């Protein structure tokens, strides 16, 4: 199931995005290595979510492009900040996703058991707790057998206990070889999970660094300001 | 005629399942149910299309269909009458004064309700599901089955409302069915006829059935929304 | 996928149900007639006899005379049975009908409240009665629906020398509806009303109403039957329609009409063989 080994399966090349006269992303370029967890951080309006949506192909940039170095784009799945729960059972939610992409139906039950949803399989998805819904959203994404998993603020709605569970899941997925690109508001979470940090501010990629260097010795003034907790203007 | 006597005779008709009485109720149900099914077959896809498509004049069409929900039954009847009359464009089909004509008229009455409700339901669901479905590659018509299925409780309520309208109306079926005994006589046309003849028992018996039916429809609609809330969280 | 299955199911159900309704290989003709013939129960009495003999089902649309003739003109009926001789003759003359045959007559009666505010109860003269009603402005209900009964009422006013368009006032209630509705209205308002005897005898919600004037020859009401001309409307079932007409004016059909009674009273008097009827 894994992609052929390549160091740089995805290249984001000079992407700019304008909507209604405002520049939302400005000449963003980065490369995504195979495997591992990359976290996009930055203040509100930095362009974090937009970048994920571009990678998923939900929006097209005004200029620049996303280059897939394999022959075809990576198999991607995205988990939204507020995951859509279809008005169906937990199992039917996963089944719907798998059938929609023409995936392997054996992954339905596998997803249920892997994400500890088997006992909830027949419950209406919309009546689950926030943590359970997030787990279902990730299970649904996993059931698509993605090579690249895009997670938008995966724990923004969760309490600390639930956050810990989700972080463990993310780490296990990364350990399976799935490349993960996620956004987070939680600097601690970025520190705990990410190998690499993409720091955005006002639509520009300010710093692209390893997590170790970024948190100990940020290369840019803006990152330093952000890390001290001051507002970037 | 004594009201009490009329009531007791009406109950008699119902409890001993008077064959003429049962035939009238049966025809009414058959005509209205067929009309609702037809309206669903046409209206669900059309409503979904209207929810997702963007084209010039769309708002106008939406408003027009909403307005048609209030189409007076006699107007629908008149239109169908003119079209199906032997001197009309589809006269050669010989459908005027048959149950088929009544089905067509009632379909016309129910269709705007189904289209309008489907459009509203699908539009609302689409704005909620858009990201998720787009990420799965389900856009345009490929999104419709998901949206209709997830709107099933609201849509059921709409179809029940349509059935209520169809089974309760008298103007259109009277006009295009002709109120022919044993052939196109429905509950509502019989009530009108028997009242004009001063024979209140049959009219009253049928009214009781109609009101029971209305009660059941409303009960079912309520149940659908409750079930929807409980089992789908919608 | 679920939805597709549901759609499939719906389609099947609809086709099944529609075909169940459409599948009707029965032999039938459509007759447009007046409310009086249906409301009186005459057709319920004679049509089963005709069907038993010929296997032809007669589907009756009951309307006012004017509307019934219009239905024939548009070709939506095969046979017309109405009671307004001049209009019937015009219908044939304009080429819509093949031939008019007299079938039967019934009579009109003047119905009114037992209190009889216009004091018409003891007269046999319908014209005098109408004059009394008008001069005392007693409540009077008119069909006002261009039916045969309405036409007869207008003719009677004219015979009485009253221009009803001029003379009508709050006492004259023009309701634009059928015989039954007119009787119901009269019953509710204790008004006078001109009705055909058959509908009156069959009418149950009488309240305080009773027959005030009857038996005047000017109250006789002749019915005619006409086959819609297949030259005008080729789809008309001329053979079966003619079979129905032939049966109506045959000795057997005439006997069936004369046999129909309510409370021992004959409602329609067969007179197919009466010249000039």
């Amino acid at each position: 199931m894994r992609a052929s080994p390549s160091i740089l399966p995805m290249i984001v090349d000079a992407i700019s995005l304008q909507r209604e006269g405002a520049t939302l992303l400005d000449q963003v370029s980065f490369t995504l290595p195979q495997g591992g967890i990359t976290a996009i951080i930055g203040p509100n309006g930095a362009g974090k979510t937009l970048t994920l949506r571009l990678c998923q192909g939900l929006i097209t940039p005004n200029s620049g492009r996303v280059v897939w170095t394999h022959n075809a784009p990576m198999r991607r799945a995205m988990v939204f900040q507020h995951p859509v729960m279809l008005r169906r059972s937990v199992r039917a939610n996963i089944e719907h996703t798998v059938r929609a992409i023409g995936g392997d139906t054996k992954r339905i039950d596998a997803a249920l058991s892997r994400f500890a949803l088997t006992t909830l399989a027949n419950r209406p998805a919309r009546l689950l707790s926030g943590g359970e819904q997030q787990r279902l959203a990730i299970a649904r994404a996993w059931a698509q057998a993605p090579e690249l998993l895009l997670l938008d603020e995966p724990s923004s709605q969760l309490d600390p206990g639930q956050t810990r569970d989700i972080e463990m899941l993310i780490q296990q997925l990364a350990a399976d070889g799935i490349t993960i690109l996620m956004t987070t508001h939680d600097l601690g979470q970025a520190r705990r999970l990410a190998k690499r940090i993409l720091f955005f501010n006002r639509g520009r990629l300010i710093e692209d660094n390893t997590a170790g260097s970024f948190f100990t010795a940020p290369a840019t003034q803006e990152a330093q300001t952000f890390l001290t907790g001051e507002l970037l203007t | 005629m004594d009201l009490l006597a009329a009531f007791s005779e009406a109950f008699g008709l119902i409890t001993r399942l008077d064959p003429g009485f049962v035939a009238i109720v049966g025809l009414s149900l058959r005509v209205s149910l067929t009309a609702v099914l037809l309206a669903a077959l046409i209206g669900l896809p059309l409503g979904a299309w209207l929810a997702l498509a963007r084209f010039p004049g769309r708002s106008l069409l939406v408003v027009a269909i909403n307005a048609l929900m209030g189409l007076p039954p006699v107007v629908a009847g008149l239109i169908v009458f003119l079209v199906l009359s032997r001197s009309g464009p589809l006269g050669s089909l010989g459908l005027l004064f048959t149950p088929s004509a009544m089905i067509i008229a009632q379909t016309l009455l129910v269709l705007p309700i189904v289209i309008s409700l489907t459009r509203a339901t699908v539009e609302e669901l689409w704005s909620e599901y858009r990201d998720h479905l787009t990420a799965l590659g389900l856009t345009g018509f490929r999104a419709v089955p998901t949206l209709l299925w997830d709107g099933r409780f609201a849509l059921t309520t709409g179809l029940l409302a349509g059935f209520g309208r169809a089974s309760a109306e008298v103007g259109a079926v009277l006009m295009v069915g002709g109120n022919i005994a044993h052939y196109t006589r429905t509950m509502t046309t019989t009530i009108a006829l028997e009242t004009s003849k001063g024979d209140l028992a049959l009219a009253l018996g049928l009214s009781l059935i109609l009101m029971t039916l209305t009660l059941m429809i409303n009960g079912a609609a309520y149940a659908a929304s409750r079930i929807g809330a409980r089992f789908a969280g919608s | 996928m679920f939805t597709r299955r549901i759609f499939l199911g719906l389609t099947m159900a609809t086709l099944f149900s529609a075909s169940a309704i459409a599948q009707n290989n029965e032999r039938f003709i459509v007759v447009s007639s007046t409310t009086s013939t249906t409301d009186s129960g005459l057709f319920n009495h004679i049509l089963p006899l005709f069907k038993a003999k010929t296997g032809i089902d007669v589907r009756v649309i009951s309307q006012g005379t004017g509307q019934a003739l219009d239905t024939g003109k548009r070709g939506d009926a095969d046979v017309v049975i109405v009671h307004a001789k001049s209009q019937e003759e015009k219908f044939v003359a304009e080429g819509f009908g093949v031939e008019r045959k007299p079938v039967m007559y019934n009579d009109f009666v003047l119905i009114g409240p037992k209190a009889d505010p216009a004091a018409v109860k003891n007269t046999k003269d319908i014209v005098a009665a109408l004059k009394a009603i008008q001069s005392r402005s007693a409540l009077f209900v008119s069909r006002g629906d261009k039916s045969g009964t309405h036409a007869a009422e207008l003719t009677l006013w004219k015979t009485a020398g009253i221009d009803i368009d001029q003379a009508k006032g709050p006492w004259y209630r023009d309701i634009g509806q059928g015989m039954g509705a007119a009787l119901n209205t009269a019953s509710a308002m204790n008004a006078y009303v001109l009705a055909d005897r058959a509908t009156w005898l069959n009418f149950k919600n009488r309240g305080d109403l009773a027959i005030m004037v009857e038996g005047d020859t000017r109250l006789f009401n002749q019915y005619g039957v006409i086959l819609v001309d297949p030259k005008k409307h080729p789809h008309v079932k001329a053979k079966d329609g003619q079979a129905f007409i032939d049966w109506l004016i045959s000795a057997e059909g005439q006997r069936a009409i004369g046999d129909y009674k309510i409370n021992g009273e004959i409602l329609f008097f067969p007179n197919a063989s009466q010249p000039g009827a």
Side-chain angles (χ1 to χ4, degrees), chain C:
Chain C
M1 289 110 298
F2 280 121
T3 326
R4 211 167 303 148
R5 227 172 295 153
I6 288 171
F7 265 110
L8 199 70
L10 282 178
T11 317
M12 300 290 280
T14 309
L15 291 179
F16 178 76
S17 158
S19 71
I21 286 175
Q23 229 177 41
N24 217 317
N25 301 325
E26 225 178 346
R27 254 174 97 189
F28 70 89
I29 56 170
V30 175
V31 173
S32 68
S33 186
T34 62
T35 48
S36 49
T37 44
T38 309
D39 288 3
S40 64
L42 174 69
F43 279 139
N44 280 345
H45 172 72
I46 64 168
L47 293 183
L49 299 173
F50 175 66
K51 182 165 184 184
K53 188 180 167 73
T54 61
I56 301 171
D57 194 34
V58 179
R59 296 179 183 165
V60 181
I61 322 281
S62 69
Q63 302 169 319
T65 289
Q67 207 188 349
L69 286 168
D70 274 345
T71 302
K73 276 186 191 172
R74 278 192 313 272
D76 291 326
D78 303 304
V79 172
V80 180
I81 301 178
V82 291
H83 54 94
K85 194 174 175 183
S86 61
Q87 289 183 53
E88 292 161 37
E89 284 166 343
K90 186 160 161 266
F91 182 85
V92 173
E94 286 170 349
F96 292 107
V98 176
E99 187 188 2
R100 174 192 175 273
K101 297 266 195 191
V103 181
M104 61 194 178
Y105 71 90
N106 69 347
D107 63 338
F108 292 116
V109 286
L110 183 70
I111 306 294
K114 287 179 185 135
D116 194 16
V120 298
K121 185 143 179 59
N122 295 320
T123 171
K124 285 252 176 242
D125 182 347
I126 183 66
V127 166
L130 289 179
K131 280 179 177 159
I133 289 170
Q134 188 259 338
S135 68
R136 297 187 191 202
S137 294
L139 281 177
F140 183 90
V141 172
S142 168
R143 292 273 296 272
D145 61 351
K146 297 192 174 154
S147 59
T149 308
H150 184 215
E153 180 212 314
L154 294 178
T155 308
L156 288 172
W157 285 116
K158 204 178 279 174
T159 314
I162 295 168
D163 181 350
I164 196 65
D165 280 330
Q166 288 285 316
K168 69 170 77 164
W171 59 275
Y172 186 84
R173 304 288 166 90
D174 176 345
I175 63 167
Q177 294 189 69
M179 196 67 259
L183 283 169
N184 269 329
T185 310
S187 168
M189 301 195 314
N190 270 334
Y192 292 91
V193 60
L194 189 72
D196 62 280
R197 186 187 295 274
T199 307
W200 165 252
L201 286 174
N202 236 344
F203 185 73
K204 293 177 181 159
N205 184 30
R206 292 183 181 180
D208 223 21
L209 298 182
I211 291 181
M212 293 290 127
V213 179
E214 60 185 327
D216 190 322
T217 51
R218 285 169 293 198
L219 289 172
F220 288 176
N221 180 33
Q222 179 66 43
Y223 284 78
V225 60
I226 308 171
L227 178 70
V228 175
D229 198 333
K231 288 205 282 290
K232 205 93 173 178
H233 293 289
H235 62 269
V236 163
K237 294 173 179 155
K239 196 169 133 282
D240 288 353
Q242 191 60 50
F244 179 57
I245 293 173
D246 290 345
W247 182 81
L248 274 181
I249 61 180
S250 72
E252 187 186 344
Q254 293 279 294
R255 201 177 324 117
I257 293 169
D259 280 348
Y260 181 57
K261 292 174 187 163
I262 293 178
N263 302 332
E265 289 193 58
I266 296 177
L267 299 188
F268 293 91
F269 300 88
N271 69 340
S273 50
Q274 181 186 323

Side-chain angles (χ1 to χ4, degrees), chain B residues 54-121:
Chain B
R54 291 293 175 271
F55 54 90
R58 177 181 174 275
S59 318
L60 216 67
L61 192 59
V62 168
V63 171
I65 289 172
N66 285 349
L68 282 179
M69 286 201 288
L71 180 71
V74 286
V75 176
L78 180 64
I79 293 166
V80 175
F81 180 90
L82 291 174
V83 170
L84 293 186
S85 168
R86 288 289 184 176
S87 306
L90 296 182
S92 57
L93 298 177
L95 289 178
L96 193 66
F97 304 140
T98 65
S100 303
M102 303 196 288
I103 290 171
I104 293 169
Q106 291 196 348
T107 303
L108 211 61
L109 286 175
V110 177
L111 198 54
I113 300 180
V114 177
I115 295 177
S116 217
L117 196 95
T118 306
R119 182 203 52 79
T121 305

Side-chain angles (χ1 to χ4, degrees), chain A residues 20-140:
Chain A
E20 290 162 6
T23 297
L24 304 176
L25 289 175
D26 187 8
Q27 295 286 319
V28 172
S29 297
F30 63 90
T31 59
L32 199 65
Q34 172 82 42
I37 303 174
T38 300
I40 301 177
I41 62 172
N44 285 339
K48 305 188 294 290
T49 299
L50 282 177
T51 305
L52 286 193
R53 294 170 71 88
L54 272 163
C55 295
Q56 175 67 32
L58 292 176
I59 40 180
T60 30
N62 295 74
S63 64
R65 59 196 178 132
V66 178
V67 183
W68 304 98
T69 56
H70 302 305
N71 291 332
M74 295 169 86
R75 275 199 309 277
R76 293 154 287 172
M78 180 159 175
V79 176
F80 297 95
Q81 185 176 359
H82 303 285
V84 169
M85 294 288 118
L86 300 186
R87 287 154 173 80
R88 317 173 179 208
S89 70
V90 168
R91 187 175 204 287
N93 262 273
I94 301 173
E95 181 174 354
H96 176 264
T97 293
V98 171
R99 291 195 188 280
I101 63 153
D104 178 2
T105 50
K106 285 202 281 293
R107 271 185 101 86
I108 300 167
D109 286 323
L112 284 170
S113 72
R114 166 150 195 171
F115 295 92
L117 292 166
T118 308
T119 54
L120 301 176
N122 294 319
R123 290 266 298 277
R126 298 168 70 84
L127 302 183
L128 299 179
S129 73
E132 289 164 342
Q133 288 195 352
Q134 194 64 10
R135 229 160 61 219
L136 172 55
I138 294 174
R140 236 167 26 184

